């Protein structure tokens, strides 16, 4: 693997290697994984809290150094994204880029150093997909078949398509539900992915993983007819209808779709996802460098 631009760049061996290192770091045995003298650059052309900070923290924990494209960069003088990437690639050993447009592949062409896609328009978010898969395995590895229901803005979320691409690799392992409420356009596929006409609430008792996302309002300007605003809000009372060992995931940030009182429920693992982000990104950086 040179760049990580989309989930297809991840071969099964890459994923196992990354998860292995992540597991060592997670369990406090990551001391031998070091990338001393390596520099990671973060270039975020779109807001971020978790992705940027966890990449930076991961690099520091591995003993590496971090540089960050300042908001007051030469882009303010009209420099193009391409020239910015070309410049930063002269200084850093790896570039972590987030961009609101679907142009990661063309940007990566300007870098002779590995580029990691940290979120690209509504197309891809491969590192979040890795974190999500790691989290699903952490909690549900004993199950032969895992039922996952996606809710929220299933059209504009970029974490859902990236995670789906990973899940599709194991069609016997996962059963995916989209309800027509939130994803009327998703087509049934080989008994793995299907739409259920009943409401999210009716499906809650069946799921092992409830994967929620926020409404991506900032992307609706382009093709507003395709976004979905689910009026589903997960409350404490609704969690009682879920299986005892079900988990509630969300890539965060959340808006109103998860009531804060749900955070106390042991099924809520979205802050564990946040934590896993650090370990998985340590695994990825070490593996790549
Ligand atoms: C997501 C993203 O940026 O796509 N957040 C994240 O990286 N953890 C989700 C979102 O913005 O809704």
């Amino acid at each position: 693997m040179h760049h990580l631009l989309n989930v297809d760049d991840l071969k099964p061996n890459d994923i196992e290697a990354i998860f292995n290192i992540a597991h060592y770091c997670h369990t406090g045995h990551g001391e031998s994984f070091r990338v001393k003298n390596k520099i990671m650059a973060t270039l975020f052309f779109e807001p971020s809290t978790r992705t940027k900070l966890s990449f930076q923290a991961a690099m520091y924990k591995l003993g590496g150094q971090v540089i960050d494209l300042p908001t007051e960069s030469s882009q303010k003088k009209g420099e193009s994204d391409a020239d910015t990437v070309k410049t930063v690639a002269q200084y850093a050993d790896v570039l972590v880029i987030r961009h609101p447009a679907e142009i990661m592949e063309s940007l990566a062409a300007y870098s002779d150093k590995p580029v990691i896609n940290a979120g690209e328009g509504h197309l891809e978010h491969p590192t979040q997909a890795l974190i999500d898969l790691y989290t699903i395995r952490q909690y549900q590895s004993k199950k032969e078949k895992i039922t996952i229901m996606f809710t929220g803005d299933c059209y504009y979320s970029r974490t859902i398509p990236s995670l789906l691409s990973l899940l599709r690799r194991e069609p016997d392992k996962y059963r995916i539900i989209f309800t027509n409420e939130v994803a009327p356009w998703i087509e049934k596929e080989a008994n793995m992915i299907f739409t259920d006409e009943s409401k999210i609430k009716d499906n809650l008792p069946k799921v092992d993983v409830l994967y929620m996302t926020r409404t991506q309002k900032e992307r609706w300007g382009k093709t507003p007819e395709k976004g979905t605003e689910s009026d589903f809000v997960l409350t404490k009372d609704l969690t009682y209808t879920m299986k005892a060992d079900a988990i509630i995931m969300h890539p965060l940030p959340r808006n109103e779709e998860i009531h804060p009182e749900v955070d106390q429920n042991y099924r809520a693992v979205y802050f564990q996802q946040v934590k896993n982000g650090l370990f998985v990104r340590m695994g990825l950086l070490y593996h790549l460098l």
Side-chain angles (χ1 to χ4, degrees), residues 46-52 98 118-121 124-125 127-128 131 156-159 211 213-216 218-219 250-254 257 274 281:
E46 202 189 80
S48 172
T49 299
R50 278 150 290 270
T51 305
K52 185 169 172 178
R98 167 171 286 193
E120 176 186 13
E124 276 272 4
H125 198 343
T127 64
Q128 185 65 42
I131 295 160
Y156 278 117
S157 159
R158 55 190 171 202
T159 71
Y211 189 102
T213 58
R214 75 182 167 95
T215 306
Q216 310 271 311
E218 73 273 28
R219 302 192 204 287
H250 194 305
L252 302 179
R254 70 170 139 186
E257 63 277 7
V274 171
R281 287 178 173 128

Side-chain angles (χ1 to χ4, degrees), residues 209-257:
V209 178
L210 171 64
Y211 189 102
M212 304 187 68
T213 58
R214 75 182 167 95
T215 306
Q216 310 271 311
K217 286 235 167 78
E218 73 273 28
R219 302 192 204 287
W220 282 32
K222 299 184 212 160
T223 47
E225 70 284 2
K226 283 183 174 160
T228 31
E229 187 161 30
S230 166
D231 54 12
F232 175 72
V233 175
L234 186 65
T235 59
K236 192 167 98 183
D237 286 348
L238 278 173
T239 61
Y240 300 144
T241 69
M242 298 178 73
K243 285 184 186 175
D245 60 356
I247 56 169
I248 303 156
M249 295 177 64
H250 194 305
L252 302 179
R254 70 170 139 186
N255 295 147
E256 290 81 32
E257 63 277 7

Side-chain angles (χ1 to χ4, degrees), residues 187-201:
E187 295 199 357
K188 290 180 188 180
E189 186 194 273
N191 293 331
M192 181 199 179
I193 300 175
F194 62 95
T195 54
D196 187 330
E197 283 176 20
S198 51
K199 300 227 176 268
I200 297 170
K201 282 182 192 165

Side-chain angles (χ1 to χ4, degrees), residues 15-26:
I15 297 179
E16 294 320 313
I18 292 164
F19 283 2
N20 234 337
I21 302 164
H23 181 73
Y24 274 109
C25 299
H26 194 160

Side-chain angles (χ1 to χ4, degrees), residues 90-225:
Q90 313 305 315
Y91 310 136
D93 300 290
V94 58
L95 280 67
V96 178
I97 306 179
R98 167 171 286 193
H99 205 286
E102 286 85 36
I103 55 166
M104 202 57 73
E105 212 162 299
S106 56
L107 285 184
Y110 293 99
S111 169
D112 54 346
K113 307 290 172 46
V115 169
I116 299 175
N117 180 345
E120 176 186 13
H122 70 107
L123 207 63
E124 276 272 4
H125 198 343
T127 64
Q128 185 65 42
L130 280 172
I131 295 160
D132 295 342
L133 183 64
Y134 183 87
T135 308
I136 292 170
R137 285 199 195 174
Q138 179 185 357
Y139 289 96
Q140 304 292 19
S141 62
K142 292 199 182 82
K143 290 197 178 157
E144 255 175 55
K145 190 101 183 170
I146 300 170
T147 300
I148 304 176
M149 176 164 62
F150 289 98
T151 69
D153 194 343
C154 297
Y155 184 81
Y156 278 117
S157 159
R158 55 190 171 202
T159 71
I160 293 178
S162 290
L163 176 57
L164 266 184
S165 303
L166 283 185
L167 300 177
R168 276 178 211 276
R169 296 181 182 186
E170 295 175 89
D172 297 334
K173 179 106 193 145
Y174 300 104
R175 186 169 162 273
I176 314 287
I177 305 177
F178 285 98
T179 69
N180 281 345
E181 271 174 299
V182 292
W185 52 83
I186 301 267
E187 295 199 357
K188 290 180 188 180
E189 186 194 273
N191 293 331
M192 181 199 179
I193 300 175
F194 62 95
T195 54
D196 187 330
E197 283 176 20
S198 51
K199 300 227 176 268
I200 297 170
K201 282 182 192 165
D202 300 338
N203 279 297
L204 267 185
K206 294 187 213 162
V207 306
D208 302 300
V209 178
L210 171 64
Y211 189 102
M212 304 187 68
T213 58
R214 75 182 167 95
T215 306
Q216 310 271 311
K217 286 235 167 78
E218 73 273 28
R219 302 192 204 287
W220 282 32
K222 299 184 212 160
T223 47
E225 70 284 2

